[in-house]
Amino acid sequence: MQLVHLHTHGTLNKMLHSDFWLFELSVWLHVLARSFISIFVPILLFQAGVSIPSILIYYAIYCALDVPLNFVARALLRRIGARWLVALGTVWVVAFFVTFSLIVPGSWVLLGVLGLLAALYDAFYWVGHLYLFIESNTMGDQQGKTEENTGLLWSVKRLARLIGPAVGATILILFDSTALIYTSIVVFLLSFIPLYYVDDFKDRPTPNDPRLTWKQFFTSTEERRDYVALALRSLHAESENVIWPLFIFITLGSLESVALVPIIVSLTSIIFSYLAGKLAHTHSQSMIALGATVLGMLWLVRLTVTSEPVYFISIFLVGLFALLVTIPVDGSTFNRAQQTDALSAVTYRNAISMGMKVPFYVVLALLVGVFHMSFTIAAIAMFSLVLIMYYFNSHAQHA
């Protein structure tokens, strides 16, 4: 019994002091802080009197500014390292929420500043923390576990997203949006503490690491295939994470209903994220085809059926089948990034995803049927993903 205790204590102690797990703790705290409020951002803007077209234009500004800032983040990472880039991203997200608390209807200057701060945060944090994640998979006992660790990373994020919206909704109901904003800020700042103690990760590229041009990076069929998949997946993700919660709030009229969206998604996928990571190594293409097909069908159901139980059943299923697309694609890109150019991989990944969202929001801002058009675009994107994956795979087999 004592041996079991010593083994368990030793394993737990090793995990808590492992650089990989310190990194995971930092990500967990960051996603927790973000999930307190992120799903409520369009709703709080709407409640503050900002019109839906103006909200969509704000998101278009944010995504448009984000694209070039990814390349600024790449240059900065080479100079100051990924950890300090993540720290800068954390500063920008704190500034974002301070500015968010000042928003008033019709203030286009504030909306523009908000879009810039959101873009600075997104570019700096995502380039920095994904670079660290890729490099963590080349260290010690984590080598060769990229797909499995991708599933683990998503499990960690899902756990935070399970807790965060419930806490956020509770704070909004009992107090107000100001209390929620400052609670998020405190946890954002705490998230950098574990990362500060990480000392064995490769923090920046060495002079000997390859620096591939855009053309060199996308030479391989696999790279083009996966980044097209990332672009199409981003349309589904934006419809699910921004437009769908706003639709639920306007349709059902309560913050509690909105908070249920990420909670249901997280419940369905915390354990399955890890399992999907294990399966992705050998069944990635089949997983993506199945996941994208079902997601496309679920968006069509949402277009045609107006029923509250169906809405929440669809959330459950979307959370499950989105993993069949997300984890294989991310695992594949991260795995190859270790052998090619990790910094370019995370830069192009974020720039392409955000660039795809700009026309999406511009089109929605110009139309009347915002929700139906968003759901239609998401469905078309998922069915297109199936066809494009089939095309690339057929091309690879005949090459």
Side-chain angles (χ1 to χ4, degrees):
M1 196 69 183
Q2 187 177 8
L3 286 173
V4 173
H5 171 74
L6 287 172
H7 173 73
T8 304
H9 177 74
T11 302
L12 182 61
N13 187 61
K14 182 181 178 183
M15 283 175 58
L16 291 174
H17 291 86
S18 156
D19 280 344
F20 182 78
W21 286 101
L22 284 171
F23 169 76
E24 293 286 340
L25 176 60
S26 173
V27 171
W28 186 82
L29 287 168
H30 188 96
V31 175
L32 179 66
R34 184 176 177 177
S35 64
F36 282 161
I37 193 169
S38 60
I39 196 168
F40 301 111
V41 165
I43 293 156
L44 291 174
L45 287 171
F46 184 71
Q47 287 184 317
V50 181
S51 67
I52 289 178
S54 296
I55 293 170
L56 296 170
I57 292 169
Y58 152 71
Y59 276 103
I61 292 169
Y62 153 39
C63 296
L65 292 173
D66 195 297
V67 175
L69 283 171
N70 282 280
F71 298 93
V72 174
R74 178 171 68 173
L76 270 176
L77 189 147
R78 288 194 175 115
R79 295 178 67 87
I80 65 175
R83 282 190 298 175
W84 287 111
L85 191 68
V86 168
L88 278 174
T90 304
V91 170
W92 291 126
V93 77
V94 169
F96 169 86
F97 283 117
V98 171
T99 306
F100 187 83
S101 66
L102 305 174
I103 203 73
V104 292
S107 178
W108 281 104
V109 173
L110 271 180
L111 276 178
V113 171
L114 209 60
L116 174 61
L117 291 171
L120 283 164
Y121 153 65
D122 182 86
F124 285 25
Y125 181 78
W126 281 89
V127 169
H129 100 278
L130 287 179
Y131 179 81
L132 282 173
F133 173 73
I134 290 171
E135 292 302 333
S136 76
N137 286 289
T138 66
M139 304 297 293
D141 61 358
Q142 301 304 321
Q143 294 183 59
K145 296 183 178 179
T146 303
E147 288 90 352
E148 184 177 330
N149 285 339
T150 301
L152 185 59
L153 180 68
W154 277 94
S155 293
V156 167
K157 291 183 175 185
R158 293 296 193 188
L159 179 59
R161 288 171 183 158
L162 172 63
I163 300 168
V167 174
T170 302
I171 293 172
L172 275 175
I173 291 164
L174 295 179
F175 302 100
D176 55 22
S177 59
T178 303
L180 179 60
I181 287 168
Y182 285 104
T183 302
S184 298
I185 287 172
V186 169
V187 182
F188 272 123
L189 294 174
L190 288 174
S191 72
F192 188 67
I193 294 174
L195 202 57
Y196 178 79
Y197 289 100
V198 171
D199 55 13
D200 286 338
F201 280 15
K202 182 179 171 185
D203 195 49
R204 71 189 78 185
T206 67
N208 295 325
D209 284 346
R211 295 189 180 187
L212 303 181
T213 64
W214 177 278
K215 186 176 180 180
Q216 290 170 331
F217 187 84
F218 288 105
T219 298
S220 73
T221 300
E222 291 84 358
E223 223 67 73
R224 294 195 297 272
R225 178 197 66 197
D226 285 350
Y227 281 79
V228 169
L230 282 167
L232 291 171
R233 187 190 73 186
S234 71
L235 296 177
H236 157 77
E238 215 64 6
S239 295
E240 185 67 21
N241 298 331
V242 177
I243 307 299
W244 179 251
L246 191 57
F247 169 78
I248 289 292
F249 178 75
I250 291 172
T251 304
L252 303 182
S254 72
L255 290 169
E256 295 91 335
S257 297
V258 175
L260 280 174
V261 174
I263 291 172
I264 293 170
V265 169
S266 299
L267 279 171
T268 64
S269 56
I270 286 172
I271 296 174
F272 193 71
S273 293
Y274 183 69
L275 296 175
K278 284 183 166 293
L279 289 170
H281 188 68
T282 53
H283 299 91
S284 60
Q285 303 310 308
S286 300
M287 288 171 65
I288 293 168
L290 175 60
T293 300
V294 175
L295 288 174
M297 292 171 65
L298 287 168
W299 282 113
L300 293 181
V301 169
R302 287 173 170 181
L303 269 169
T304 54
V305 179
T306 55
S307 163
E308 186 173 336
V310 171
Y311 292 157
F312 287 104
I313 291 169
S314 76
I315 293 166
F316 173 89
L317 294 172
V318 164
L320 195 61
F321 285 96
L323 291 171
L324 298 184
V325 176
T326 298
I327 291 175
V329 172
D330 282 353
S332 178
T333 55
F334 294 157
N335 203 16
R336 282 196 308 281
Q338 294 172 24
Q339 284 81 47
T340 55
D341 180 353
L343 184 51
S344 290
V346 297
T347 303
Y348 296 147
R349 178 188 188 279
N350 210 40
I352 289 170
S353 293
M354 298 305 287
M356 193 72 170
K357 297 171 186 177
V358 178
F360 171 74
Y361 280 117
V362 170
V363 167
L364 292 184
L366 296 174
L367 298 174
V368 176
V370 170
F371 298 123
H372 277 70
M373 181 53 66
S374 169
F375 301 169
T376 302
I377 291 172
I380 292 170
M382 289 299 94
F383 291 133
S384 298
L385 176 55
V386 177
L387 295 175
I388 287 170
M389 295 300 286
Y390 175 77
Y391 167 78
F392 275 112
N393 292 335
S394 298
H395 182 74
Q397 288 171 6
H398 289 94

mmCIF file of all heavy atoms in Angstrom, residues 99-133:
data_model
loop_
_atom_site.group_PDB
_atom_site.id
_atom_site.type_symbol
_atom_site.label_atom_id
_atom_site.label_comp_id
_atom_site.label_asym_id
_atom_site.label_seq_id
_atom_site.Cartn_x
_atom_site.Cartn_y
_atom_site.Cartn_z
ATOM 1 N N THR A 99 -11.471 48.131 -22.188
ATOM 2 C CA THR A 99 -12.138 48.931 -23.226
ATOM 3 C C THR A 99 -13.575 48.471 -23.441
ATOM 4 O O THR A 99 -14.479 49.294 -23.636
ATOM 5 C CB THR A 99 -11.360 48.830 -24.557
ATOM 6 O OG1 THR A 99 -10.003 49.183 -24.338
ATOM 7 C CG2 THR A 99 -11.956 49.741 -25.615
ATOM 8 N N PHE A 100 -13.782 47.160 -23.375
ATOM 9 C CA PHE A 100 -15.117 46.593 -23.570
ATOM 10 C C PHE A 100 -16.109 47.153 -22.536
ATOM 11 O O PHE A 100 -17.286 47.365 -22.850
ATOM 12 C CB PHE A 100 -15.044 45.075 -23.448
ATOM 13 C CG PHE A 100 -16.318 44.362 -23.802
ATOM 14 C CD1 PHE A 100 -16.630 44.070 -25.116
ATOM 15 C CD2 PHE A 100 -17.215 43.976 -22.809
ATOM 16 C CE1 PHE A 100 -17.806 43.417 -25.443
ATOM 17 C CE2 PHE A 100 -18.389 43.318 -23.127
ATOM 18 C CZ PHE A 100 -18.683 43.041 -24.450
ATOM 19 N N SER A 101 -15.629 47.390 -21.323
ATOM 20 C CA SER A 101 -16.511 47.907 -20.262
ATOM 21 C C SER A 101 -16.960 49.343 -20.535
ATOM 22 O O SER A 101 -17.897 49.833 -19.910
ATOM 23 C CB SER A 101 -15.799 47.841 -18.902
ATOM 24 O OG SER A 101 -14.693 48.720 -18.867
ATOM 25 N N LEU A 102 -16.318 50.028 -21.486
ATOM 26 C CA LEU A 102 -16.643 51.425 -21.799
ATOM 27 C C LEU A 102 -17.561 51.563 -23.008
ATOM 28 O O LEU A 102 -17.935 52.676 -23.374
ATOM 29 C CB LEU A 102 -15.351 52.211 -22.073
ATOM 30 C CG LEU A 102 -14.272 52.178 -20.981
ATOM 31 C CD1 LEU A 102 -13.008 52.880 -21.467
ATOM 32 C CD2 LEU A 102 -14.784 52.807 -19.696
ATOM 33 N N ILE A 103 -17.919 50.447 -23.648
ATOM 34 C CA ILE A 103 -18.633 50.500 -24.922
ATOM 35 C C ILE A 103 -20.008 51.143 -24.785
ATOM 36 O O ILE A 103 -20.722 50.927 -23.794
ATOM 37 C CB ILE A 103 -18.763 49.086 -25.540
ATOM 38 C CG1 ILE A 103 -18.963 49.169 -27.062
ATOM 39 C CG2 ILE A 103 -19.856 48.284 -24.880
ATOM 40 C CD1 ILE A 103 -17.727 49.566 -27.805
ATOM 41 N N VAL A 104 -20.351 51.972 -25.752
ATOM 42 C CA VAL A 104 -21.672 52.616 -25.806
ATOM 43 C C VAL A 104 -22.189 52.517 -27.235
ATOM 44 O O VAL A 104 -21.398 52.405 -28.184
ATOM 45 C CB VAL A 104 -21.609 54.100 -25.369
ATOM 46 C CG1 VAL A 104 -21.288 54.226 -23.887
ATOM 47 C CG2 VAL A 104 -20.592 54.871 -26.213
ATOM 48 N N PRO A 105 -23.510 52.540 -27.437
ATOM 49 C CA PRO A 105 -24.070 52.441 -28.796
ATOM 50 C C PRO A 105 -23.564 53.572 -29.698
ATOM 51 O O PRO A 105 -23.450 54.715 -29.259
ATOM 52 C CB PRO A 105 -25.582 52.560 -28.564
ATOM 53 C CG PRO A 105 -25.790 52.189 -27.138
ATOM 54 C CD PRO A 105 -24.562 52.616 -26.410
ATOM 55 N N GLY A 106 -23.254 53.225 -30.931
ATOM 56 C CA GLY A 106 -22.876 54.235 -31.915
ATOM 57 C C GLY A 106 -21.441 54.711 -31.833
ATOM 58 O O GLY A 106 -21.039 55.595 -32.587
ATOM 59 N N SER A 107 -20.647 54.142 -30.922
ATOM 60 C CA SER A 107 -19.258 54.568 -30.776
ATOM 61 C C SER A 107 -18.360 53.731 -31.685
ATOM 62 O O SER A 107 -17.788 52.721 -31.270
ATOM 63 C CB SER A 107 -18.802 54.441 -29.319
ATOM 64 O OG SER A 107 -17.456 54.802 -29.194
ATOM 65 N N TRP A 108 -18.205 54.175 -32.937
ATOM 66 C CA TRP A 108 -17.404 53.416 -33.895
ATOM 67 C C TRP A 108 -15.921 53.464 -33.566
ATOM 68 O O TRP A 108 -15.171 52.535 -33.881
ATOM 69 C CB TRP A 108 -17.663 53.945 -35.305
ATOM 70 C CG TRP A 108 -18.952 53.426 -35.850
ATOM 71 C CD1 TRP A 108 -20.133 54.102 -35.961
ATOM 72 C CD2 TRP A 108 -19.200 52.101 -36.315
ATOM 73 N NE1 TRP A 108 -21.104 53.280 -36.472
ATOM 74 C CE2 TRP A 108 -20.565 52.052 -36.702
ATOM 75 C CE3 TRP A 108 -18.427 50.965 -36.442
ATOM 76 C CZ2 TRP A 108 -21.154 50.894 -37.202
ATOM 77 C CZ3 TRP A 108 -18.999 49.808 -36.950
ATOM 78 C CH2 TRP A 108 -20.347 49.784 -37.330
ATOM 79 N N VAL A 109 -15.493 54.549 -32.914
ATOM 80 C CA VAL A 109 -14.080 54.636 -32.509
ATOM 81 C C VAL A 109 -13.769 53.537 -31.495
ATOM 82 O O VAL A 109 -12.763 52.820 -31.618
ATOM 83 C CB VAL A 109 -13.765 56.025 -31.918
ATOM 84 C CG1 VAL A 109 -12.347 56.050 -31.336
ATOM 85 C CG2 VAL A 109 -13.912 57.103 -32.983
ATOM 86 N N LEU A 110 -14.638 53.397 -30.489
ATOM 87 C CA LEU A 110 -14.431 52.354 -29.480
ATOM 88 C C LEU A 110 -14.510 50.963 -30.087
ATOM 89 O O LEU A 110 -13.725 50.073 -29.729
ATOM 90 C CB LEU A 110 -15.461 52.486 -28.351
ATOM 91 C CG LEU A 110 -15.093 53.396 -27.174
ATOM 92 C CD1 LEU A 110 -16.216 53.405 -26.150
ATOM 93 C CD2 LEU A 110 -13.788 52.961 -26.521
ATOM 94 N N LEU A 111 -15.444 50.763 -31.018
ATOM 95 C CA LEU A 111 -15.542 49.458 -31.677
ATOM 96 C C LEU A 111 -14.276 49.152 -32.482
ATOM 97 O O LEU A 111 -13.795 48.015 -32.508
ATOM 98 C CB LEU A 111 -16.762 49.405 -32.604
ATOM 99 C CG LEU A 111 -18.117 49.049 -31.970
ATOM 100 C CD1 LEU A 111 -19.219 49.092 -33.013
ATOM 101 C CD2 LEU A 111 -18.078 47.683 -31.299
ATOM 102 N N GLY A 112 -13.718 50.188 -33.129
ATOM 103 C CA GLY A 112 -12.479 50.005 -33.878
ATOM 104 C C GLY A 112 -11.311 49.675 -32.964
ATOM 105 O O GLY A 112 -10.498 48.774 -33.266
ATOM 106 N N VAL A 113 -11.212 50.375 -31.833
ATOM 107 C CA VAL A 113 -10.161 50.093 -30.848
ATOM 108 C C VAL A 113 -10.328 48.686 -30.294
ATOM 109 O O VAL A 113 -9.351 47.943 -30.126
ATOM 110 C CB VAL A 113 -10.187 51.136 -29.703
ATOM 111 C CG1 VAL A 113 -9.244 50.733 -28.576
ATOM 112 C CG2 VAL A 113 -9.824 52.515 -30.233
ATOM 113 N N LEU A 114 -11.578 48.318 -30.037
ATOM 114 C CA LEU A 114 -11.879 46.979 -29.528
ATOM 115 C C LEU A 114 -11.431 45.914 -30.534
ATOM 116 O O LEU A 114 -10.840 44.890 -30.150
ATOM 117 C CB LEU A 114 -13.391 46.864 -29.279
ATOM 118 C CG LEU A 114 -13.882 45.908 -28.194
ATOM 119 C CD1 LEU A 114 -13.331 46.278 -26.833
ATOM 120 C CD2 LEU A 114 -15.403 45.894 -28.157
ATOM 121 N N GLY A 115 -11.703 46.152 -31.817
ATOM 122 C CA GLY A 115 -11.281 45.211 -32.854
ATOM 123 C C GLY A 115 -9.772 45.085 -32.925
ATOM 124 O O GLY A 115 -9.233 43.979 -33.076
ATOM 125 N N LEU A 116 -9.043 46.218 -32.791
ATOM 126 C CA LEU A 116 -7.584 46.195 -32.825
ATOM 127 C C LEU A 116 -7.020 45.418 -31.636
ATOM 128 O O LEU A 116 -6.118 44.582 -31.797
ATOM 129 C CB LEU A 116 -7.038 47.622 -32.817
ATOM 130 C CG LEU A 116 -5.513 47.750 -32.711
ATOM 131 C CD1 LEU A 116 -4.816 47.075 -33.892
ATOM 132 C CD2 LEU A 116 -5.106 49.230 -32.616
ATOM 133 N N LEU A 117 -7.552 45.674 -30.442
ATOM 134 C CA LEU A 117 -7.065 44.974 -29.243
ATOM 135 C C LEU A 117 -7.358 43.482 -29.323
ATOM 136 O O LEU A 117 -6.516 42.656 -28.931
ATOM 137 C CB LEU A 117 -7.709 45.578 -27.987
ATOM 138 C CG LEU A 117 -7.275 46.999 -27.640
ATOM 139 C CD1 LEU A 117 -8.142 47.572 -26.511
ATOM 140 C CD2 LEU A 117 -5.803 47.035 -27.240
ATOM 141 N N ALA A 118 -8.540 43.128 -29.833
ATOM 142 C CA ALA A 118 -8.881 41.710 -29.990
ATOM 143 C C ALA A 118 -7.924 41.040 -30.969
ATOM 144 O O ALA A 118 -7.481 39.903 -30.755
ATOM 145 C CB ALA A 118 -10.323 41.563 -30.482
ATOM 146 N N ALA A 119 -7.571 41.741 -32.047
ATOM 147 C CA ALA A 119 -6.658 41.189 -33.047
ATOM 148 C C ALA A 119 -5.243 41.030 -32.491
ATOM 149 O O ALA A 119 -4.573 40.021 -32.734
ATOM 150 C CB ALA A 119 -6.636 42.099 -34.285
ATOM 151 N N LEU A 120 -4.777 42.020 -31.729
ATOM 152 C CA LEU A 120 -3.451 41.934 -31.101
ATOM 153 C C LEU A 120 -3.391 40.744 -30.147
ATOM 154 O O LEU A 120 -2.421 39.984 -30.140
ATOM 155 C CB LEU A 120 -3.139 43.230 -30.353
ATOM 156 C CG LEU A 120 -2.725 44.423 -31.218
ATOM 157 C CD1 LEU A 120 -2.823 45.713 -30.421
ATOM 158 C CD2 LEU A 120 -1.308 44.234 -31.752
ATOM 159 N N TYR A 121 -4.431 40.609 -29.351
ATOM 160 C CA TYR A 121 -4.473 39.476 -28.407
ATOM 161 C C TYR A 121 -4.470 38.151 -29.155
ATOM 162 O O TYR A 121 -3.662 37.255 -28.865
ATOM 163 C CB TYR A 121 -5.719 39.568 -27.524
ATOM 164 C CG TYR A 121 -6.187 38.219 -27.015
ATOM 165 C CD1 TYR A 121 -5.392 37.479 -26.142
ATOM 166 C CD2 TYR A 121 -7.401 37.678 -27.445
ATOM 167 C CE1 TYR A 121 -5.801 36.228 -25.695
ATOM 168 C CE2 TYR A 121 -7.808 36.436 -27.002
ATOM 169 C CZ TYR A 121 -7.008 35.717 -26.129
ATOM 170 O OH TYR A 121 -7.414 34.474 -25.700
ATOM 171 N N ASP A 122 -5.367 38.014 -30.116
ATOM 172 C CA ASP A 122 -5.515 36.739 -30.819
ATOM 173 C C ASP A 122 -4.219 36.348 -31.522
ATOM 174 O O ASP A 122 -3.749 35.208 -31.402
ATOM 175 C CB ASP A 122 -6.652 36.846 -31.838
ATOM 176 C CG ASP A 122 -6.899 35.536 -32.567
ATOM 177 O OD1 ASP A 122 -7.655 34.706 -32.047
ATOM 178 O OD2 ASP A 122 -6.317 35.345 -33.649
ATOM 179 N N ALA A 123 -3.623 37.280 -32.258
ATOM 180 C CA ALA A 123 -2.401 36.979 -33.007
ATOM 181 C C ALA A 123 -1.252 36.622 -32.070
ATOM 182 O O ALA A 123 -0.562 35.621 -32.260
ATOM 183 C CB ALA A 123 -2.020 38.171 -33.880
ATOM 184 N N PHE A 124 -1.043 37.410 -31.024
ATOM 185 C CA PHE A 124 0.091 37.192 -30.137
ATOM 186 C C PHE A 124 -0.090 35.923 -29.307
ATOM 187 O O PHE A 124 0.837 35.115 -29.187
ATOM 188 C CB PHE A 124 0.292 38.400 -29.215
ATOM 189 C CG PHE A 124 0.904 39.599 -29.895
ATOM 190 C CD1 PHE A 124 0.779 39.801 -31.266
ATOM 191 C CD2 PHE A 124 1.599 40.543 -29.170
ATOM 192 C CE1 PHE A 124 1.331 40.902 -31.892
ATOM 193 C CE2 PHE A 124 2.171 41.648 -29.779
ATOM 194 C CZ PHE A 124 2.028 41.833 -31.142
ATOM 195 N N TYR A 125 -1.273 35.749 -28.731
ATOM 196 C CA TYR A 125 -1.453 34.586 -27.850
ATOM 197 C C TYR A 125 -1.456 33.283 -28.641
ATOM 198 O O TYR A 125 -0.794 32.311 -28.266
ATOM 199 C CB TYR A 125 -2.754 34.692 -27.039
ATOM 200 C CG TYR A 125 -2.905 33.495 -26.110
ATOM 201 C CD1 TYR A 125 -2.184 33.436 -24.933
ATOM 202 C CD2 TYR A 125 -3.718 32.409 -26.451
ATOM 203 C CE1 TYR A 125 -2.272 32.337 -24.087
ATOM 204 C CE2 TYR A 125 -3.804 31.308 -25.619
ATOM 205 C CZ TYR A 125 -3.085 31.280 -24.443
ATOM 206 O OH TYR A 125 -3.162 30.173 -23.622
ATOM 207 N N TRP A 126 -2.178 33.251 -29.773
ATOM 208 C CA TRP A 126 -2.294 31.990 -30.504
ATOM 209 C C TRP A 126 -0.992 31.596 -31.182
ATOM 210 O O TRP A 126 -0.608 30.418 -31.159
ATOM 211 C CB TRP A 126 -3.456 32.066 -31.499
ATOM 212 C CG TRP A 126 -4.755 31.872 -30.792
ATOM 213 C CD1 TRP A 126 -5.528 32.841 -30.221
ATOM 214 C CD2 TRP A 126 -5.394 30.636 -30.511
ATOM 215 N NE1 TRP A 126 -6.615 32.277 -29.607
ATOM 216 C CE2 TRP A 126 -6.564 30.923 -29.775
ATOM 217 C CE3 TRP A 126 -5.096 29.310 -30.819
ATOM 218 C CZ2 TRP A 126 -7.429 29.931 -29.338
ATOM 219 C CZ3 TRP A 126 -5.965 28.312 -30.389
ATOM 220 C CH2 TRP A 126 -7.117 28.632 -29.659
ATOM 221 N N VAL A 127 -0.281 32.542 -31.770
ATOM 222 C CA VAL A 127 1.020 32.202 -32.355
ATOM 223 C C VAL A 127 1.977 31.740 -31.259
ATOM 224 O O VAL A 127 2.671 30.728 -31.402
ATOM 225 C CB VAL A 127 1.606 33.408 -33.127
ATOM 226 C CG1 VAL A 127 3.070 33.160 -33.496
ATOM 227 C CG2 VAL A 127 0.795 33.674 -34.398
ATOM 228 N N GLY A 128 2.002 32.450 -30.130
ATOM 229 C CA GLY A 128 2.917 32.109 -29.040
ATOM 230 C C GLY A 128 2.622 30.778 -28.394
ATOM 231 O O GLY A 128 3.513 29.926 -28.260
ATOM 232 N N HIS A 129 1.373 30.543 -28.017
ATOM 233 C CA HIS A 129 1.103 29.320 -27.239
ATOM 234 C C HIS A 129 1.081 28.074 -28.133
ATOM 235 O O HIS A 129 1.458 26.987 -27.691
ATOM 236 C CB HIS A 129 -0.168 29.478 -26.392
ATOM 237 C CG HIS A 129 -1.410 28.858 -26.926
ATOM 238 N ND1 HIS A 129 -2.186 29.464 -27.875
ATOM 239 C CD2 HIS A 129 -2.027 27.678 -26.627
ATOM 240 C CE1 HIS A 129 -3.231 28.691 -28.145
ATOM 241 N NE2 HIS A 129 -3.161 27.600 -27.412
ATOM 242 N N LEU A 130 0.682 28.218 -29.406
ATOM 243 C CA LEU A 130 0.735 27.054 -30.292
ATOM 244 C C LEU A 130 2.169 26.699 -30.671
ATOM 245 O O LEU A 130 2.497 25.518 -30.843
ATOM 246 C CB LEU A 130 -0.115 27.286 -31.545
ATOM 247 C CG LEU A 130 -1.628 27.240 -31.320
ATOM 248 C CD1 LEU A 130 -2.367 27.499 -32.626
ATOM 249 C CD2 LEU A 130 -2.084 25.918 -30.712
ATOM 250 N N TYR A 131 3.031 27.713 -30.795
ATOM 251 C CA TYR A 131 4.441 27.418 -31.030
ATOM 252 C C TYR A 131 5.017 26.624 -29.846
ATOM 253 O O TYR A 131 5.724 25.627 -30.030
ATOM 254 C CB TYR A 131 5.233 28.710 -31.228
ATOM 255 C CG TYR A 131 6.714 28.460 -31.443
ATOM 256 C CD1 TYR A 131 7.198 28.094 -32.694
ATOM 257 C CD2 TYR A 131 7.625 28.570 -30.396
ATOM 258 C CE1 TYR A 131 8.548 27.850 -32.908
ATOM 259 C CE2 TYR A 131 8.974 28.318 -30.583
ATOM 260 C CZ TYR A 131 9.430 27.958 -31.841
ATOM 261 O OH TYR A 131 10.769 27.701 -32.030
ATOM 262 N N LEU A 132 4.701 27.049 -28.624
ATOM 263 C CA LEU A 132 5.156 26.322 -27.440
ATOM 264 C C LEU A 132 4.605 24.904 -27.418
ATOM 265 O O LEU A 132 5.307 23.962 -27.048
ATOM 266 C CB LEU A 132 4.736 27.066 -26.167
ATOM 267 C CG LEU A 132 5.564 28.280 -25.776
ATOM 268 C CD1 LEU A 132 4.922 29.002 -24.598
ATOM 269 C CD2 LEU A 132 6.995 27.883 -25.428
ATOM 270 N N PHE A 133 3.348 24.745 -27.813
ATOM 271 C CA PHE A 133 2.744 23.412 -27.815
ATOM 272 C C PHE A 133 3.463 22.491 -28.794
ATOM 273 O O PHE A 133 3.778 21.342 -28.481
ATOM 274 C CB PHE A 133 1.257 23.496 -28.171
ATOM 275 C CG PHE A 133 0.622 22.141 -28.346
ATOM 276 C CD1 PHE A 133 0.369 21.335 -27.252
ATOM 277 C CD2 PHE A 133 0.300 21.662 -29.618
ATOM 278 C CE1 PHE A 133 -0.197 20.075 -27.411
ATOM 279 C CE2 PHE A 133 -0.269 20.409 -29.778
ATOM 280 C CZ PHE A 133 -0.518 19.627 -28.669
#
